[in-house]
Amino acid sequence: MKQVIEVVKAREIFDSRGNPTVEADVVLSDGTCGRAEVPSGKSTGENEAVELRDGGQRLGGKGVSKAVNNVNTEINEALHGRSPFDQSQIDQVMIDLDGTPNKARLGANAILAVSMATTRAAASANQEPLYRYLGGVDLELPQTFHNVINGGEHADNGIDLQEFMLTPIKRTSFRDGLEKIVTTYHQLAKLIEAAGYSTSLGDEGGFAPDLDNSEAALKLLHEAIVAAGYQPGIDIGIAFDAAASSFAQPDGQYQFEGQSRSADQMAAYYEGLLDDFPEIVSIEDPFGENDWENFTKFTQANGQRVQIVTDDNICTNPVLIRKAIEMGMANSLLIKPNQIGTVTETLEAIRLARKNNYTTMMSHRSGETGDPYIADLAVATNSGQIKSGAPARSERVEKYNQFLRIEEELGATARLAHFPNQVSLD
């Protein structure tokens, strides 16, 4: 007899910023249990599914007891007796039960916790690792992007670009690439300290030195790569997330590093960075979430030169993704399951991207948990790329450790993702 869902229950736990979040258990009729924890973002797009918070005085209004209660009552009742192996049906039941276009009634944090936990329970019942249950045999270890210098909303410093990342290019295995990044990260710490800056960490484990501008951050990364014994752009590349919505103004201008700039001036600025730092391989959200026209214009001018990722504009929402594809406003999509609220819709977003020759980058959130779910999801879906923070703080490193376990389990069948212009030595 096939197992069915016996009980769905949730509890309030805490994320890496000390804020409440939802953890859910899905228990099957034979006692098998799947558990999942939901992260929370700080730099959020206005079109993200609603993260239900309690309001009021307790925990600064950020409590999630309402979302937890929705799991323990309505969602538990609706899913009782259903098969955990039909994920699309499970997710649709919760979407219909919520009845809003953005999961505002039950909370996307409640729905996603149950959606993820259901896949874990089903995988355990099948005696399969999660990545195998979700992905079958077509599996691939992604290229990692590590946020090693934090700015913008992730740090209290003078840098307006939000994330500066390192990515391993020439590597013989996942472990080899990760070791290159770890080595460079420690060299970066020495350079920052030698320059007289603090080596305190931002939300995602990256350093947050109070540099004068973004170019200074890029120069530090270049110097750290060299100091680690690697070649910029050959062994290790650089990427950044501008998160331009954080400095976009209502009048269409951008208040960036002490100056008011037009969209054309921002485009020229980014192009100058590409000229000065040819090791830059990816740029995320160079324009605001409502500035679709200039985003598209920039992609048309530079899309053959660099990967251009959209996040805030599309929020992992298939409807918005279709619009972005029609406009040609990027060539890569950021994938954050908690932006849309179910595993099924996340998978649909990735399929849409692949069907239209867009690359995808799986992503953590700044308020993370120790749950490595997105590591398994990235391998299962061939997402190709993932960003999970610096190789520091356990909630970030645990994702990378999970990839190491998966690589070991796959053995000789392990495949590495690469950009088309990158060197594969595997």
Side-chain angles (χ1 to χ4, degrees):
M1 180 178 174
K2 276 285 189 181
Q3 298 94 325
V4 296
I5 294 175
E6 183 68 27
V7 176
V8 180
K9 59 183 178 180
R11 62 191 60 84
E12 185 179 70
I13 63 169
F14 292 86
D15 68 20
S16 62
R17 292 202 306 257
N19 291 328
T21 191
V22 180
E23 177 181 80
D25 293 348
V26 171
V27 183
L28 306 186
S29 50
D30 69 347
T32 299
C33 179
R35 174 173 291 167
E37 304 167 5
V38 174
S40 174
K42 184 175 184 180
S43 175
T44 57
E46 61 184 36
N47 292 306
E48 291 193 23
V50 174
E51 184 181 68
L52 186 61
R53 299 282 182 179
D54 295 343
Q57 297 300 312
R58 189 181 74 92
L59 295 169
K62 293 183 177 182
V64 293
S65 63
K66 291 179 181 177
V68 166
N69 184 64
N70 289 338
V71 173
N72 294 338
T73 55
E74 290 188 59
I75 292 177
N76 176 48
E77 182 179 346
L79 297 186
H80 177 75
R82 293 186 180 274
S83 170
F85 304 105
D86 190 345
Q87 189 65 37
S88 60
Q89 182 190 65
I90 292 292
D91 289 341
Q92 193 60 53
V93 166
M94 291 191 286
I95 290 169
D96 293 343
L97 183 66
D98 174 83
T100 70
N102 56 2
K103 303 176 179 67
R105 193 179 76 81
L106 296 177
N109 44 352
I111 293 171
L112 181 62
V114 175
S115 180
M116 293 163 58
T118 301
T119 64
R120 278 243 174 81
S124 294
N126 276 357
Q127 297 185 323
E128 292 181 297
L130 180 60
Y131 65 85
R132 182 76 70 185
Y133 174 74
L134 291 172
V137 296
D138 186 19
L139 307 170
E140 185 177 71
L141 290 154
Q143 177 157 346
T144 53
F145 288 76
H146 305 254
N147 180 10
V148 295
I149 295 182
N150 296 178
E153 295 291 322
H154 290 335
D156 184 18
N157 59 20
I159 309 171
D160 283 347
L161 297 185
Q162 185 163 279
E163 300 176 1
F164 296 84
M165 293 170 274
L166 296 173
T167 182
I169 297 176
K170 187 187 292 184
R171 62 207 194 281
T172 58
S173 63
F174 183 88
R175 174 175 288 279
D176 178 56
L178 182 58
E179 288 183 5
K180 284 182 167 66
I181 296 299
V182 169
T183 301
T184 307
Y185 179 77
H186 290 306
Q187 288 296 324
L188 178 63
K190 292 177 182 178
L191 289 172
I192 291 173
E193 188 172 15
Y197 295 110
S198 168
T199 52
S200 61
L201 302 181
D203 281 347
E204 298 183 359
F207 302 111
D210 193 11
L211 302 173
D212 291 336
N213 52 47
S214 296
E215 290 96 323
L218 292 168
K219 288 176 183 175
L220 267 176
L221 293 189
H222 180 97
E223 292 169 5
I225 295 169
V226 173
Y230 305 124
Q231 292 181 273
I234 296 177
D235 297 307
I236 296 178
I238 292 174
F240 66 82
D241 173 12
S245 294
S246 64
F247 50 84
Q249 303 301 304
D251 62 359
Q253 295 289 107
Y254 290 85
Q255 190 62 36
F256 181 75
E257 296 187 351
Q259 297 181 41
S260 179
R261 308 189 191 208
S262 67
D264 286 344
Q265 287 173 322
M266 287 305 303
Y269 172 79
Y270 297 135
E271 288 165 352
L273 294 183
L274 292 174
D275 291 337
D276 294 340
F277 301 93
E279 61 266 41
I280 294 174
V281 298
S282 183
I283 298 175
E284 181 185 331
D285 281 352
F287 296 92
E289 62 191 306
N290 296 311
D291 197 351
W292 291 62
E293 181 179 346
N294 284 302
F295 210 131
T296 301
K297 183 179 173 182
F298 184 76
T299 300
Q300 290 172 347
N302 297 284
Q304 297 300 313
R305 184 182 186 188
V306 68
Q307 177 174 268
I308 302 170
V309 186
T310 176
D311 172 22
D312 289 348
N313 299 70
I314 52 108
C315 294
T316 318
N317 186 318
V319 173
L320 295 174
I321 288 171
R322 290 187 183 94
K323 177 183 175 182
I325 290 170
E326 288 172 5
M327 292 183 63
M329 67 158 290
N331 53 30
S332 184
L333 307 177
L334 202 71
I335 303 295
K336 295 175 177 174
N338 83 319
Q339 285 183 325
I340 189 63
T342 66
V343 172
T344 300
E345 290 165 296
T346 302
L347 295 176
E348 182 184 353
I350 295 170
R351 281 194 295 267
L352 264 176
R354 184 167 295 120
K355 182 179 178 181
N356 290 277
N357 297 316
Y358 275 57
T359 59
T360 57
M361 184 184 290
M362 195 72 66
S363 177
H364 63 163
R365 301 309 301 259
S366 54
E368 259 299 334
T369 73
D371 191 338
Y373 191 96
I374 59 169
D376 286 74
L377 185 61
V379 171
T381 59
N382 283 231
S383 69
Q385 303 166 58
I386 189 170
K387 63 175 188 175
S388 297
R393 297 185 183 275
S394 60
E395 77 278 358
R396 316 292 157 183
V397 175
E398 190 52 35
K399 277 68 168 174
Y400 302 126
N401 287 339
Q402 179 70 351
F403 286 124
L404 294 176
R405 299 181 194 108
I406 294 172
E407 182 172 56
E408 180 183 293
E409 290 171 10
L410 294 177
T413 66
R415 291 188 295 115
L416 289 175
H418 294 274
F419 280 156
N421 63 335
Q422 289 180 339
V423 178
S424 173
L425 301 180
D426 56 341

